[in-house]
Amino acid sequence: MEKVLNQDQIDAMVRAARGRPTEGIANEERVKPWNCAESGQIGRESLRAITQLHEAFARNLTHSLGAYLRVVFDANLVSVEQLPYSDVLTRFPELTYLATAHIEPANASVAFQMDLSLAFPIIDLLLGGIGEAEAEVREITEIEEQILDGVVRIVCKELEISWQPAGLAVSFEHRQTPGQMQQLMAPNEKTLALSFEIRMAESRGVFNVVCPSSVSNILLRKLADNWAYRRPKELSECSQQLIARLLECPFLAELSLEPQPMDARRLVELVPGETVQFERQVEQPVRLLVANQSCFEADVVRIGSRRAGHIGARIVPLQS
C-alpha cells in the first residue's frame, strides 16, 4: 500500500532538502502503537549474516543447476524477511509448485515454492526441449512432478551444504498441495522467508524458501557465534542514536572548591555580609563538576557579569 504524505510532511521534506529547519517537527515526539508480533525481530547484524550465508547458497545453486540443466541459470537472493506463516501463504500464487524438506536435528520441515513460469521451462529442458514456457497456466502432472523432484533434491543438497556450519541436515520429502501446506505450520508462527529471483534463458520467476522458527533459531544462534569476531569495531547504529540522544540531555555543571575544614563555632557566629576566608590560594584551580562528578580543573574567571570557568586539565578518576 502506497504511503500518502500530507501537505505538512511534504513541506517539511522540502525544507530539509533545502537545509532549512523543520519547524516544530524535529523535537516532536512520534508515538505509534506497539505491535507484539514485531517483537524479537532479526537484528541488523544477524540479518547481514543471514543474507551473506544465502547469497553464497544462491551462487552455488547457480553453478549446480546451470550444469544440471546445461543452460545459463542465474539465482539471486532478493529478500530476507521474518513473517508470520499466514502472511507468507498469501504471497503464493494459486497455481504453483509446492514442496517440503525435512530438517534434522530440528525435526521440522522447510517449505519450497516455485513459480510455474520456472517449473514448465525446466521440465521442457529436461525432456529435451529448449526451455519453452507453457502457453496456459495449468496444474503439474504426476510425471512432471517427478521431474521437478530431482531439481528440488539438488536445491536441498546445496541448502544442506550452506547450513552445514549449523549442523543441519536437509532431505527432500515430497510435493505438497495447497491444503497440506496450510497445515505445515501454525498461522502465527514467525518464519524466516527467503526469496530468490531465478533467471533462465527467456524465463524468469521466484523461488521461495520458508523456514520455521525452530530452524531459523538454530541458524541465528550459530551465525551469532561465527559472526562475533567479524563484527565491526565502529559503534552500531543503535549506539550512535543513544549518544545523539544523550548529547541533547541537560546535565548539572558547577564550579566547586574542595571541602575545607571549619570550626562549628565559626559557622554558628556567621552573619550576613561577612566574608569567609579559606585556606586556599586564589591561583589554585577549582573543580568543574558535571552531574556531581569531578571532570576538569578550572580557573574561576568572569565574562561580563557572569561567573565562568577556564577549563584546564581533565581529572582522571582513581581506579578502585
Side-chain angles (χ1 to χ4, degrees):
M1 181 175 65
E2 296 183 357
K3 182 178 180 180
V4 179
L5 301 180
N6 58 38
Q7 189 60 45
D8 292 338
Q9 292 172 320
I10 294 174
D11 293 341
M13 293 177 65
V14 173
R15 286 193 295 268
R18 294 178 178 176
R20 299 178 183 175
T22 55
E23 300 152 352
I25 293 180
N27 297 325
E28 180 184 353
E29 292 186 0
R30 298 179 180 178
V31 180
K32 64 178 183 179
W34 177 57
N35 186 357
C36 297
E38 294 179 356
S39 62
Q41 292 293 320
I42 300 177
R44 186 176 297 274
E45 293 180 352
S46 298
L47 182 62
R48 187 184 302 118
I50 284 281
T51 300
Q52 290 187 359
L53 176 69
H54 293 96
E55 282 176 345
F57 162 71
R59 289 192 295 269
N60 294 336
L61 196 63
T62 295
H63 298 311
S64 59
L65 280 183
Y68 181 71
L69 299 173
R70 297 182 181 180
V71 293
V72 177
F73 188 94
D74 187 26
N76 290 288
L77 178 67
V78 294
S79 70
V80 178
E81 298 177 280
Q82 201 170 22
L83 298 169
Y85 186 57
S86 57
D87 291 355
V88 175
L89 292 177
T90 59
R91 298 185 175 189
F92 293 166
E94 184 176 352
L95 288 178
T96 187
Y97 174 83
L98 301 169
T100 56
H102 190 69
I103 309 298
E104 287 291 351
N107 191 26
S109 293
V110 167
F112 299 123
Q113 182 266 327
M114 182 192 301
D115 287 349
L116 294 183
S117 59
L118 288 174
F120 286 123
I122 289 175
I123 293 169
D124 186 61
L125 280 170
L126 294 176
L127 291 177
I130 60 174
E132 291 182 344
E134 287 285 328
E136 60 179 354
V137 180
R138 60 174 178 82
E139 288 281 1
I140 294 176
T141 65
E142 291 185 5
I143 295 177
E144 291 169 339
E145 174 186 331
Q146 294 176 8
I147 295 173
L148 282 178
D149 287 353
V151 175
V152 181
R153 290 179 190 278
I154 295 176
V155 175
C156 292
K157 180 180 178 182
E158 294 297 339
L159 195 60
E160 181 175 1
I161 293 173
S162 299
W163 289 356
Q164 190 174 9
L168 296 176
V170 184
S171 57
F172 177 73
E173 290 182 325
H174 48 75
R175 182 191 174 194
Q176 300 280 356
T177 64
Q180 292 171 328
M181 195 63 75
Q182 293 277 354
Q183 304 298 323
L184 187 65
M185 306 176 202
N188 60 348
E189 179 167 355
K190 190 173 294 183
T191 64
L192 180 65
L194 309 167
S195 184
F196 300 86
E197 181 188 35
I198 308 296
R199 297 183 181 181
M200 184 183 64
E202 299 298 327
S203 303
R204 178 182 299 182
V206 176
F207 184 85
N208 288 302
V209 179
V210 184
C211 306
S213 56
S214 57
V215 174
S216 61
N217 289 340
I218 294 175
L219 285 174
L220 290 172
R221 283 197 300 268
K222 188 62 180 180
L223 288 173
D225 295 338
N226 293 341
W227 191 255
Y229 72 96
R230 288 183 288 176
R231 289 177 182 169
K233 295 183 180 180
E234 295 83 5
L235 291 175
S236 66
E237 182 179 353
C238 180
S239 299
Q240 292 174 352
Q241 292 177 355
L242 180 59
I243 290 176
R245 291 292 182 89
L246 288 174
L247 291 176
E248 297 176 358
C249 294
F251 289 89
L252 294 178
E254 61 177 331
L255 294 174
S256 172
L257 291 172
E258 294 180 358
Q260 300 289 320
M262 183 175 291
D263 293 340
R265 183 182 301 277
R266 182 75 181 89
L267 290 174
V268 171
E269 294 175 352
L270 287 177
V271 295
E274 186 176 357
T275 300
V276 178
Q277 295 183 5
F278 294 100
E279 298 297 327
R280 186 182 181 87
Q281 301 295 326
V282 176
E283 295 80 9
Q284 289 182 269
V286 297
R287 296 179 300 167
L288 175 63
L289 302 181
V290 179
N292 294 323
Q293 299 294 322
S294 298
C295 293
F296 294 96
E297 292 182 348
D299 296 320
V300 179
V301 297
R302 185 180 67 181
I303 300 178
S305 61
R306 295 177 178 272
R307 184 180 64 170
H310 183 264
I311 304 299
R314 179 186 291 273
I315 299 177
V316 180
L318 297 176
Q319 298 292 335
S320 58

